[in-house]
Amino acid sequence: QVQLVESGGGLVQPGGSLRLSCAASGFTLKHFAIGWFRQAPGKEREGVSCISSNDDSTQYADSVKGRFTISRDNAKNTVYLQMNNLKPEDTAIYYCATNTYCSVNYGDFSFGSWGQGTQVTVSS
């Protein structure tokens, strides 16, 4: 079965850093664009970042641009999201998902695979 598993979340102080991982099983991750999304309590799910399957081009939401970096390690079948200078408003459950093209619109990933999410909490 196709599965994605997110990990690396936790509690961090404002200004701190976390590195999230999206590990794939049952398929080869390098053939897919991968998006990162997040959902805070009581709020809609929003796109954070994505990385393309063909040229590794990337996209970022304006709210995280310059602070977050997405990358992939094909040998480990894993995509990462490095998050620096974290803010309390970054607190959310973070999900990764597959698509045939890069997008930060979660609706474009409706027919892709989704992980179960990892909790990120930014608080002093």
Side-chain angles (χ1 to χ4, degrees):
Q1 294 213 342
V2 174
Q3 289 187 327
L4 292 173
V5 178
E6 301 93 340
S7 62
L11 175 64
V12 65
Q13 292 185 332
S17 298
L18 286 173
R19 188 193 193 194
L20 305 184
S21 297
C22 174
S25 62
F27 69 101
T28 302
L29 194 59
K30 68 179 180 180
H31 298 310
F32 296 87
I34 304 298
W36 280 100
F37 305 86
R38 65 187 182 187
Q39 188 165 22
K43 294 194 174 185
E44 295 289 324
R45 187 171 299 183
E46 63 175 342
V48 176
S49 182
C50 70
I51 184 166
S52 174
S53 63
N54 53 6
D55 61 359
D56 282 345
S57 62
T58 58
Q59 296 181 21
Y60 298 93
D62 288 341
S63 59
V64 307
K65 196 171 298 181
R67 300 188 297 120
F68 291 10
T69 303
I70 190 171
S71 63
R72 67 166 78 231
D73 186 339
N74 291 331
K76 295 183 178 180
N77 214 24
T78 300
V79 167
Y80 302 99
L81 184 68
Q82 178 67 45
M83 307 186 296
N84 298 325
N85 192 24
L86 283 162
K87 306 174 185 295
E89 51 263 42
D90 295 319
T91 296
I93 300 175
Y94 283 71
Y95 303 87
C96 62
T98 64
N99 197 24
T100 56
Y101 63 94
C102 197
S103 173
V104 291
N105 182 350
Y106 73 84
D108 292 337
F109 289 74
S110 296
F111 302 103
S113 297
W114 286 76
Q116 297 301 305
T118 185
Q119 177 71 51
V120 172
T121 303
V122 184
S123 176
S124 60

